[in-house]
Amino acid sequence: MDTQNTTRSARYHRTGSPAEVVQVDDVPSSAPGSGEVTVGMLYAPINPADLNMLEGKYGEARPLPDVPGNEGVGEILSLGEGVPDDWQGRRVLVDREAWREEGNWKASDLLPVPAEVDPRQASMLRVNPPTAWRILHDFVPLQRGDWIVQNAATSGVGRAVIEIARHHGLRTLNLVRRPEIAPELLALGADAVVVDGPEAGDEAKAALGGSRPKLGLNAVGGSSATRVAGMLAPGATLVTYGAMSKEALKIPNGFVIFRDLSFRGFWLTRWLRGAEPAAREQMFGQIFRLAVAGLFAPRVAAELPLAQVKDAVALAAGGGGGGKVLLRFGR
């Protein structure tokens, strides 16, 4: 009787409440094809975008059943035809279907990771730091000493913004929900931290000392985005890259008419699809160098095996307990 090799994978066959729809399946495995490699996964974080995908609320839908996970790190186990021998054993970042023990990817879609980067840290370098890098570099010309204001400052992107901005000599004004988080962000490199609420405008004005940010970053929406926009200089830009509150932007007409503010959006997937290979390589090279230098240290709230993916997803959906929830694979 013929036998077929299988591997375990988290999948969802319908969308809905994330912890209810995700499950672990045994799926067929195969040798890598031409130009492909087999990657054995090590770690993969559970990101908000993954939860949105499980809910059916992401910017694009994929055919079902689907494997979640928009980033993760693994090691190359075997090579397909045409892949150089020195790829064997490399540690690499994947950009899709990361929640599985192993799978085949095109070698050209993978990013080799410097050996100095811890694998847990590496698993979280393909989404948040690149998003922070692009929104700081692509919208407004910034000079050393310029201010940036952002909400969701405790998020993975928000923390990366603080670290990259500090590295470039930029100053950050950071809106948070809880005042007790301020010392942690200040230690990370934040220049000012303000509680996001009705009094945020006055507190921000005092912190800025007469300056006005050229760039605002919004990952919340609703009234929080309005407050961020209200702090900006005339002619400044507000970039929206998330919608944690699930509330629409609320922008007064006067912000556009009298203050000439610009409102833009950013989606890393769209940028990666349109970027030249040299541009992607240059950006990730910078991110890896910063990671080796000590930036983007992982905040891991929990590390669970693939078999407990339902528990892991439920924990992440509940806020993650102050850090990322990681899936750990059997290597």
Side-chain angles (χ1 to χ4, degrees):
M1 181 174 65
D2 292 337
T3 60
Q4 187 174 39
N5 292 329
T6 62
T7 185
R8 292 189 307 162
S9 173
R11 297 202 297 180
Y12 60 109
H13 298 250
R14 61 184 176 88
T15 58
S17 175
E20 293 179 6
V21 301
V22 71
Q23 63 187 58
V24 178
D25 294 336
D26 290 322
V27 297
S29 61
S30 61
S34 178
E36 293 184 336
V37 297
T38 299
V39 177
M41 294 303 298
L42 297 172
Y43 297 97
I46 299 175
N47 290 324
D50 300 319
L51 300 176
N52 292 340
M53 189 72 77
L54 291 164
E55 293 169 334
K57 298 177 180 178
Y58 195 59
E60 63 179 11
R62 295 203 292 250
L64 301 180
D66 181 44
V67 179
N70 62 356
E71 67 175 334
V73 66
E75 292 181 350
I76 294 178
L77 303 179
S78 58
L79 310 177
E81 182 181 356
V83 180
D85 290 343
D86 63 359
W87 277 70
Q88 183 71 41
R90 281 189 181 184
R91 190 175 293 164
V92 292
L93 301 187
V94 306
D95 66 343
R96 58 178 176 79
E97 300 181 3
W99 297 5
R100 49 180 167 165
E101 289 181 328
E102 65 179 59
N104 297 332
W105 279 264
K106 291 182 179 179
S108 59
D109 290 339
L110 302 175
L111 288 168
V113 183
E116 303 93 325
V117 181
D118 178 85
R120 292 172 180 82
Q121 181 185 23
S123 74
M124 294 177 270
L125 291 181
R126 185 141 193 172
V127 173
N128 291 334
T131 296
W133 185 273
R134 296 261 59 97
I135 57 182
L136 286 173
H137 286 83
D138 290 357
F139 294 93
V140 175
L142 297 169
Q143 306 293 327
R144 294 184 67 87
D146 284 345
W147 280 93
I148 300 151
V149 57
Q150 65 168 343
N151 56 23
T154 61
S155 68
V157 173
R159 290 171 181 271
V161 164
I162 292 171
E163 293 183 285
I164 295 170
R166 184 183 186 187
H167 180 77
H168 289 328
L170 304 172
R171 295 183 287 180
T172 58
L173 170 62
N174 302 275
L175 275 60
V176 299
R177 289 182 298 173
R178 298 177 290 111
E180 60 269 23
I181 201 68
E184 183 179 337
L185 294 187
L186 291 170
L188 193 65
D191 294 278
V193 181
V194 171
V195 175
D196 191 358
E199 307 301 321
D202 291 338
E203 295 182 28
K205 185 176 181 180
L208 292 169
S211 298
R212 300 290 288 272
K214 299 178 181 179
L215 178 65
L217 307 176
N218 166 50
V220 178
S223 56
S224 177
T226 307
R227 283 190 285 271
V228 172
M231 300 172 189
L232 296 175
T237 297
L238 180 74
V239 179
T240 293
Y241 65 92
M244 292 180 180
S245 71
K246 296 182 170 59
E247 296 179 6
L249 293 177
K250 300 175 182 178
I251 305 301
N253 293 328
F255 282 14
V256 178
I257 298 169
F258 302 115
R259 295 178 54 204
D260 193 28
L261 298 185
S262 296
F263 297 90
R264 302 283 304 277
F266 180 78
W267 184 32
L268 181 65
T269 298
R270 181 175 60 240
W271 186 89
L272 290 170
R273 287 173 179 169
E276 294 292 333
R280 294 196 298 269
E281 182 178 343
Q282 190 274 342
M283 178 185 70
F284 280 106
Q286 294 281 2
I287 288 167
F288 290 147
R289 280 190 283 275
L290 293 177
V292 171
L295 276 68
F296 317 130
R299 297 170 58 253
V300 178
E303 187 181 299
L304 284 80
L306 177 62
Q308 294 178 239
V309 66
K310 285 183 175 290
D311 294 334
V313 165
L315 180 58
K324 282 291 183 185
V325 179
L326 290 185
L327 289 174
R328 182 184 68 246
F329 302 91
R331 284 180 169 74

